[in-house]
Amino acid sequence: MPYPVFKDNREFINALKANNDLVTIEQEVDWDLEMGAIVRRVCERKSASPYFKKIRDYPGFEALGAPLATYKRLAIAMGMKPDAFVPEISNEYVKRTTGDPIKSILLDKKKAPCKENIWTGKDADLFKLPGPMVHDGDGGRYLATWHFVVSKDLETQAVNWGMYRQMVFDEKTMVGPVLPFSDMGKMFYGKYVPKNKPMPFATVIGCDPLAGVAACAPSPIPEDEFTGMLMGAPVELVKCETCDLEVPAHAEIIIEGEVIPNLLIEEAPFGEYTGYRTSPREPRTVYRIKAITFRNNPILTVSNMGVPTDEGQLLRSFSLGLEMRKLLESQGIPITGVFMLPESTHHMVVVGVKPIYSNIASQIANLVFGSKLSPWFHMVIVVDEETDIYNKDDVIHALATKCHPIRGIRKYEQSVGTPLYPFADPEDRKWSRGAQILFDCTFPLHWPKSDLPIKVSFNNVYPKEIQEKVLQNWKNYGFKD
Amino acid sequence: MAKKEYDTFVLTDLALVAEDKETEMIVRDLMPADRRYKYRSAYVFGMVSKDESKYPDRLWVRLGRGQLQEKPWSIKVIKEVNKIPEG
Ligand SMILES: Cc1cc2nc3c(=O)[nH]c(=O)nc-3n(C[C@H](O)[C@H](O)[C@H](O)COP(=O)(O)O)c2cc1C
């Protein structure tokens, strides 16, 4: 194995503990708001992951909060140094996910921990799982906040893993938004619904950390193989009890059932990744359950969407930005890097470029706004090599000084959007309509060289020998930093 | 018998909610006998009143983004309706 791999969430919990990034909470915690409030505060303070050992009303169940809400935890999940820098983690992600996909392998049910307990019939009751009330005012208890849903295409048999939130409605029913442009949306609404066929699904809760990363990444590679690539080893799957889907054998909890065609039930409101409760309570996709299988003492994973930074914002920013990087590189655009800011709730991406021809920023924006990735973000900032794309101060400086308020801004109307955009009109949210904008922070190529503003920074306006002298003497001058 | 408590999300103007008329709505049970079932949703036929004391049970009202209204209403749940086909 080229790097340490966590085959399940339990090994990952041990690694978090070993890296002082876990707080084990032995005291009983209430699933009704208290657990959510703890996870929320953890996200806002970038604290260690809370590991809940005792959940009120649910003896025997445990939960892990905010499993991947920081780059440190992402680095640990990738088997890298916990203090790896974002560009290092990004390069590693791109490297691992541009090789050959790694096919999963099928385990015998007897060897699959997720089959240690099997509930079917009346026993398969969603209220027997400690689904938290995540935020006060949510439309229901969200059992699935850090998880993924497995489904199979009716015609091609292609398998999709995607993270689509699920709210408990009653003992047997969950509801959630499956956006029409998502892979599962196209599968279910495009193929099963017209034939009035229920679509088998399996919700996987408490998977290994990299499967979670893969499930919310917008990659065209089947997510189980993508997980294998991130891990450097095949994922071990096992057959479901009630359908022919396969799920990760080492996951904590599996909920099996069918997505019901031509029936919608009200879902939401829910505290969302934008940091608001925005998308309307409205009729959404219905999941009817048939079986629940789980490990002994199962550990639920709980994310808490809200103001930055939660794992949705961090990982979606990470993978959306890097899939954009792959797209732009595949087209030969001379970019120097792509970084999506998690604090922008993955709405704002910074693209570094060598501006060797005119209007290169427009070409970048046209490509990324025209791609499958585009409904999820609406601001592209293009900067030249002078700006460090990972440094927020530097990016703000470039935006405020190099972007012409008229020439530098290009608006894109009538785009695909999501119902979650807080700035969108209620009618636009309902129809997933959006708008997008480019901020071109490169100076025009036709300006005479003598008219080009020169960046006044330590690195830029002093000769090398002076810089070195100052750096060498810094402590001698009396500075402590 | 102690009052039961429910809540519901009202997505229209509160003034448009019909009182004292059998209406189909979704309510959430806030006081189930087994606490694990708190927030279970159900389609019910019921009658509501903005007068807190008119019907036997209490009904809290939330708006579309979860905003809890200060004053509860009252409700009489007539029956639960199953809208979801058996799997
Ligand atoms: C925590 C979390 C919750 C999400 N919930 C939803 C959801 O309810 N509906 C949806 O369509 N997408 C949701 N997404 C976004 C999808 O996971 C994302 O688009 C993912 O790439 C699925 O990919 P695919 O549809 O392209 O396969 C969520 C993402 C995260 C991180």
Side-chain angles (χ1 to χ4, degrees):
Chain A
M1 217 79 75
Y3 21 79
V5 169
F6 308 112
K7 76 170 181 306
D8 64 15
N9 207 33
R10 298 182 183 206
E11 290 183 0
F12 180 55
I13 288 174
N14 289 339
L16 292 180
K17 194 169 178 188
N19 283 290
N20 289 322
D21 207 3
L22 189 83
V23 170
T24 303
I25 304 180
E26 301 286 353
Q27 176 181 335
E28 182 180 85
V29 167
D30 199 337
W31 55 267
D32 190 5
L33 297 178
E34 186 187 4
M35 191 193 287
I38 295 169
V39 180
R40 184 91 290 279
R41 194 164 150 82
V42 162
C43 289
E44 291 177 21
R45 295 165 67 91
K46 299 186 172 38
S47 310
S49 275
Y51 178 24
F52 303 101
K53 298 290 284 180
K54 211 168 162 197
I55 304 173
R56 183 169 172 193
D57 303 322
Y58 293 94
F61 285 87
E62 300 179 354
L64 176 70
L68 283 158
T70 61
Y71 287 114
K72 177 178 176 188
R73 298 211 264 283
L74 174 59
I76 295 171
M78 298 265 293
M80 299 175 70
K81 289 193 314 295
D83 55 355
F85 291 117
V86 182
E88 290 176 77
I89 314 175
S90 303
N91 290 339
E92 187 63 25
Y93 173 97
V94 171
K95 193 172 96 197
R96 290 189 200 175
T97 58
T98 32
D100 288 331
I102 298 184
K103 293 255 179 251
S104 304
I105 51 176
L106 197 61
L107 280 199
D108 190 274
K109 281 187 183 177
K110 284 195 214 82
K111 292 196 179 137
C114 71
K115 303 286 185 186
E116 282 166 354
N117 303 273
I118 299 179
W119 287 340
T120 53
K122 215 169 162 358
D123 275 341
D125 174 342
L126 293 164
F127 291 102
K128 288 163 73 177
L129 300 175
M133 183 53 121
V134 180
H135 323 88
D136 190 20
D138 285 351
R141 293 166 64 175
Y142 281 79
L143 193 49
T145 56
W146 194 253
H147 67 294
F148 58 87
V149 183
V150 183
S151 60
K152 204 182 252 187
D153 190 286
L154 188 59
E155 289 158 13
T156 65
Q157 303 298 304
V159 171
N160 182 57
W161 292 4
M163 208 172 271
Y164 311 104
R165 75 185 190 214
Q166 292 168 317
M167 179 187 103
V168 176
F169 184 82
D170 63 21
E171 291 82 344
K172 295 277 183 200
T173 317
M174 297 190 288
V175 283
V178 177
L179 297 177
F181 49 77
S182 67
D183 285 352
M184 194 166 108
K186 286 181 278 187
M187 229 179 234
F188 181 61
Y189 288 105
K191 299 187 179 174
Y192 286 86
V193 171
K195 296 202 161 106
N196 201 26
K197 265 186 176 294
M199 179 176 81
F201 80 91
T203 297
V204 178
I205 302 175
C207 54
D208 70 83
L210 294 178
V213 173
C216 69
S219 159
I221 302 169
E223 286 83 359
D224 63 319
E225 298 178 22
F226 193 83
T227 308
M229 295 166 90
L230 284 173
M231 284 181 156
V235 176
E236 295 181 341
L237 300 176
V238 65
K239 279 253 178 271
C240 281
E241 295 301 299
T242 60
C243 59
D244 76 342
L245 295 173
E246 289 157 8
V247 290
H250 303 277
E252 298 287 335
I253 301 171
I254 310 290
I255 304 173
E256 302 178 13
E258 286 178 340
V259 191
I260 307 298
N262 300 311
L263 173 73
L264 297 171
I265 292 181
E266 274 177 25
E267 185 254 7
F270 184 56
E272 293 166 343
Y273 71 81
T274 61
Y276 298 89
R277 262 201 288 264
T278 302
S279 76
R281 181 171 172 91
E282 63 179 8
R284 300 234 167 97
T285 309
V286 179
Y287 304 81
R288 283 290 277 181
I289 73 147
K290 291 184 166 178
I292 299 173
T293 78
F294 57 99
R295 295 178 68 151
N296 294 333
N297 299 103
I299 309 166
L300 193 79
T301 31
V302 179
S303 183
N304 185 322
M305 308 291 137
V307 298
T309 311
D310 59 58
E311 38 273 293
Q313 291 151 352
L314 189 111
L315 291 173
R316 294 275 292 146
S317 296
F318 182 74
S319 57
L320 270 165
L322 294 176
E323 292 303 324
M324 246 177 260
R325 168 171 153 187
K326 290 184 196 169
L327 168 73
L328 293 166
E329 282 173 350
S330 75
Q331 299 277 318
I333 313 292
I335 57 163
T336 53
V338 178
F339 180 58
M340 193 174 247
L341 293 108
E343 300 81 359
S344 76
T345 74
H346 65 69
H347 286 170
M348 185 187 272
V349 65
V350 187
V351 181
V353 71
K354 290 196 177 97
I356 51 178
Y357 49 87
S358 293
N359 290 332
I360 196 165
S362 294
Q363 188 184 34
I364 288 170
N366 293 340
L367 270 168
V368 298
F369 288 151
S371 74
K372 172 186 189 261
L373 313 171
S374 79
W376 297 102
F377 63 94
H378 64 285
M379 293 181 174
V380 173
I381 301 177
V382 177
V383 297
D384 60 27
E385 313 98 300
E386 244 177 26
T387 303
D388 176 359
I389 60 171
Y390 299 103
N391 181 331
K392 256 185 292 184
D393 291 354
D394 225 20
V395 171
I396 288 171
H397 178 249
L399 183 62
T401 54
K402 294 175 93 165
C403 180
H404 188 284
I406 294 167
R407 173 181 31 76
I409 292 179
R410 264 143 269 168
K411 293 186 269 186
Y412 294 72
E413 293 177 25
Q414 305 299 342
S415 311
V416 183
T418 80
L420 282 68
Y421 280 124
F423 62 79
D425 296 335
E427 195 60 13
D428 283 341
R429 287 185 212 145
K430 199 162 144 193
W431 292 101
S432 291
R433 294 190 302 230
Q436 292 163 316
I437 188 160
L438 161 67
F439 299 99
D440 180 353
C441 307
T442 61
F443 288 139
L445 287 186
H446 62 262
W447 284 2
K449 256 211 152 77
S450 55
D451 282 336
L452 271 184
I454 300 295
K455 191 168 179 178
V456 182
S457 67
F458 178 79
N459 290 335
N460 215 35
V461 292
Y462 296 97
K464 266 270 154 311
E465 61 275 16
I466 297 289
Q467 288 185 36
E468 275 160 21
K469 183 174 177 198
V470 170
L471 290 179
Q472 271 164 16
N473 283 290
W474 197 245
K475 290 246 156 75
N476 302 342
Y477 300 142
F479 294 102
K480 301 262 183 294
D481 57 322
Chain B
M1 216 172 78
K3 263 186 195 299
K4 278 197 61 107
E5 286 198 25
Y6 300 94
D7 71 358
T8 193
F9 287 81
V10 175
L11 307 179
T12 56
D13 188 338
L14 291 182
L16 298 178
V17 175
E19 291 180 78
D20 308 314
K21 225 178 97 187
E22 258 192 49
T23 324
E24 187 187 283
M25 58 200 291
I26 297 177
V27 294
R28 299 190 305 181
D29 190 349
L30 301 182
M31 283 178 59
D34 179 343
R35 191 173 181 273
R36 291 179 306 168
Y37 290 77
K38 188 172 175 193
Y39 302 112
R40 177 185 184 276
S41 300
Y43 281 92
V44 298
F45 269 121
M47 301 223 276
V48 302
S49 168
K50 289 173 189 166
D51 173 355
E52 192 186 343
S53 56
K54 178 141 188 190
Y55 293 119
D57 295 327
R58 183 168 292 148
L59 180 70
W60 293 98
V61 173
R62 288 183 183 271
L63 304 186
R65 298 299 181 284
Q67 305 95 319
L68 181 66
Q69 301 304 287
E70 224 168 85
K71 236 176 68 56
W73 299 357
S74 63
I75 184 168
K76 178 174 181 191
V77 174
I78 298 163
K79 64 170 184 202
E80 194 173 321
V81 205
N82 191 8
K83 298 265 240 184
I84 310 165
E86 282 307 317

